[in-house]
Amino acid sequence: MGVLDGVASRLAAGAEAGFRPTGSSMVPLIRSRQRVLVVPVDPARLTPGDIVLARVAGTVYLHLVSAVDHARRRVQISNNRGHVNGWTGHARVFGICVSVDGVPRPGAAEKARRATAPDAGA
């Protein structure tokens, strides 16, 4: 299991995750080893340009949403260099990047998955 698989597991459990991804596929949005903060996301609120942690064809990426298909509950994932990784279902989108090196990503926090309130009748 890779580092991003572990991050995906934490996000799926409802926790946020800060880490320093490596690579150049997201330059200049994210440079190698910059600290990112990723929080669980409501995939139905995603729009092109959002940076998400998602599993596509078995691999977990911190990449861009390049297209959305709300009717089929899926998003297209691409890097920032024009390579399309593919389409993935909402269930495989684990989180959204809300900040890079402490600088907030505009509009990202509003797309975070909200914790559900306990049932008042329980």
Side-chain angles (χ1 to χ4, degrees):
M1 179 164 86
V3 172
L4 292 183
D5 291 296
V7 173
S9 294
R10 288 197 309 263
L11 292 165
E16 61 183 41
F19 62 102
R20 294 180 183 275
T22 58
S24 61
S25 66
M26 289 296 290
V27 170
L29 299 174
I30 302 172
R31 297 186 187 284
S32 191
R33 303 290 300 147
Q34 281 187 303
R35 183 165 175 74
V36 298
L37 178 61
V38 181
V39 301
V41 66
D42 176 357
R45 301 187 73 189
L46 293 173
T47 57
D50 289 331
I51 299 173
V52 297
L53 190 83
R55 185 178 308 278
V56 182
T59 302
V60 178
Y61 298 96
L62 182 66
H63 276 177
L64 290 168
V65 172
S66 51
V68 295
D69 181 351
H70 291 295
R72 295 177 69 183
R73 298 180 46 80
R74 65 185 189 153
V75 296
Q76 186 181 61
I77 304 298
S78 303
N79 68 21
N80 201 35
R81 305 227 180 241
H83 175 75
V84 175
N85 302 108
W87 289 92
T88 196
H90 283 183
R92 290 183 297 277
V93 179
F94 304 106
I96 187 167
C97 177
V98 294
S99 69
V100 178
D101 269 351
V103 178
R105 296 266 312 148
E110 291 78 30
K111 298 174 184 180
R113 186 175 65 224
R114 304 288 179 227
T116 56
D119 184 3

